[in-house]
Structures are given as C-alpha cells and as structure tokens.
Amino acid sequence: MRAVIPVKRVKDAKQRLASVLNASERRDLFVAMFEDVLDVVTAVQDFQEVTVATVCPTAREIAKRHGASVLSTGRDEGQSIAVANTAVTLEAEGVISMLMLPGDIPLLTVKEIRTVLDAHEEKTPAMTIVPARDEQGSNCIVLTPPTAIPLRFGPNSYFPHLKSARRLGLVLQTPKLPGIGLDIDTLEDLSLLCHTPGNTRSQEYLQDQRIVERLGDFDEVSSRFVAGNTA
C-alpha cells in the first residue's frame, strides 16, 4: 500500500480564505496543515512508502524533511490530473494499492487511517472512500489497483466517484470519519478547526495568530462538529 498526498503550489493555497487571511497567513496555515498530515501518515506502519505528488519546491522540501518521497507531477494541472498520473506511475512500478489524502485535513488521526485500511478489500478491485463532512468532496480514497477508476476531484466529486465504482463493479466501502472529513476550505471549516479541542500545528498557528477572533459566530455548528469528533 502506497500513501499519496497531492499538493499544489503552496504559495497559491487556500484562496477561498482570502477574506480573513492574507497571502502569507494562507501559505503558513497550509504548511502547518500539510505537516500535520505528514506527521500522521508517516507514523502509520502499514504503508510501504509515503509519496508527495507535487511540482512545488516548498512542498518537496517539507516532504523530504518528513521522510516522504517526492513524485514530480511535471506541471501544475490540478489535483485530478496529478493523482491520475501518479496512479499510472505507481501501477507501472508494481504498486497494488494506493491511498490518497489531501494536505488540508489537519485533524486526521492514525486511528482513522487504520479504520480506512481495515475496511478496504485489498485482494479484489475495490475502492474505499471517505467523504468531506458535507458529503460533496472526496477526502480519502483507497484504490486496488491504483487505476481502478478515473478520479475527478472537486466540490461535487463524492457521489460521481460512488457511481463510477458501482458501475465498474468495485467492492465499495464508505466510512465516514470526522477528522478526515474536515478539509479547510471555507470560513466555517476554519472556525470548526479553531473550536475543536487539540494541539495540532494548524491549531497552534491559528491560536498564535489570534485568527479565531476574526471569524464570525460559528459556535453552534462548531459545537455540533466537536460532539461528533469526540463521540
């Protein structure tokens, strides 16, 4: 099993948060989230290797510092193309299964990754997929083999991925996990991260920069997420 984290150019990260974070803060927050993800994924012994697929020099340096390998995606043509090219490359190298995670799910845990791996049927054409909390995005996908289905990422990718897997007859598992489910794209996501108990690099950065004070009142939705994350 190979873990893959596709990363776009760090300097362009999290444009949707521009109303509350400046360019430097968006970059620093993404770096903190990326390192949170790498801390967890590299601690999972089940992976033969952890690979960061990127063209970004900053992401390459961070990956190497955490002991991950780097696969150049050639050009920055988006996450879907980067993951598709990576899947083809890994399969050509004899990799049987690929687990894909984004770099912006800082509440990821080793326990959640093991839940995903335990659910996955690795001996047969199969897909295990964890949705974003709104069940629109696809925040973790495991494929056996890596090219079992074409992957198309974006805000409405989850149900199309399910449809493709069922059409192709893949063994399908769909666990829902709160840490993997929280990718940080919107002000609401950012508020949830700020209000969830924890001491990840990302949360410490948000506290140090007093960013929580800039956000609107999302206390009610934050409380619902915290309750689900600690249940």
Side-chain angles (χ1 to χ4, degrees):
M1 176 78 70
R2 181 82 67 92
V4 174
I5 306 169
V7 176
K8 298 186 289 186
R9 294 189 184 277
V10 171
K11 66 180 180 65
D12 299 325
K14 299 300 154 192
Q15 298 290 331
R16 292 171 64 186
L17 299 177
S19 64
V20 69
L21 303 179
N22 64 38
S24 177
E25 290 169 332
R26 295 195 302 272
R27 175 195 178 281
D28 291 345
L29 174 61
F30 180 78
V31 167
M33 294 192 293
F34 180 34
E35 293 201 80
D36 283 333
V37 171
L38 281 168
D39 283 342
V40 172
V41 177
T42 55
V44 177
Q45 300 299 313
D46 304 72
F47 297 125
Q48 298 167 321
E49 192 172 334
V50 177
T51 296
V52 174
T54 189
V55 297
C56 176
T58 301
R60 287 201 297 264
E61 291 174 7
I62 295 169
K64 291 176 180 178
R65 192 163 67 238
H66 284 261
S69 64
V70 176
L71 178 65
S72 176
T73 54
R75 293 181 295 175
D76 195 352
E77 298 180 289
Q79 186 180 23
S80 296
I81 293 176
V83 172
N85 293 342
T86 300
V88 170
T89 299
L90 296 186
E91 196 162 315
E93 293 176 359
V95 174
I96 295 172
S97 299
M98 174 184 77
L99 178 145
M100 192 288 302
L101 289 165
D104 64 346
I105 49 171
L107 298 186
L108 171 73
T109 65
V110 170
K111 181 179 179 181
E112 286 192 342
I113 290 180
R114 291 198 170 127
T115 297
V116 172
L117 295 177
D118 288 345
H120 187 68
E121 299 276 353
E122 194 171 12
K123 294 182 180 180
T124 186
M127 180 175 79
T128 298
I129 182 170
V130 182
R133 64 187 180 90
D134 60 2
E135 294 194 356
Q136 296 299 307
S138 305
N139 283 13
C140 175
I141 295 179
V142 189
L143 290 176
T144 302
T147 61
I149 67 167
L151 298 176
R152 297 288 184 270
F153 293 99
N156 297 302
S157 65
Y158 178 60
F159 289 105
H161 282 147
L162 296 184
K163 183 177 179 180
S164 294
R166 289 168 178 145
R167 176 173 54 82
L168 294 170
L170 274 60
V171 175
L172 179 62
Q173 304 292 338
T174 59
K176 294 177 177 60
L177 300 165
I180 292 176
L182 183 63
D183 53 329
I184 309 303
D185 286 320
T186 67
L187 296 183
E188 185 175 298
D189 299 332
L190 195 61
S191 182
L192 290 171
L193 179 58
C194 286
H195 288 88
T196 301
N199 58 352
T200 65
R201 296 171 191 257
S202 311
Q203 290 167 312
E204 290 178 358
Y205 176 77
L206 293 169
Q207 292 165 4
D208 291 345
Q209 300 300 311
R210 302 173 70 90
I211 289 170
V212 65
E213 297 174 10
R214 304 182 208 170
L215 303 175
D217 183 9
F218 291 105
D219 287 345
E220 183 178 349
V221 69
S222 298
S223 297
R224 290 201 301 270
F225 177 84
V226 171
N229 202 26
T230 57

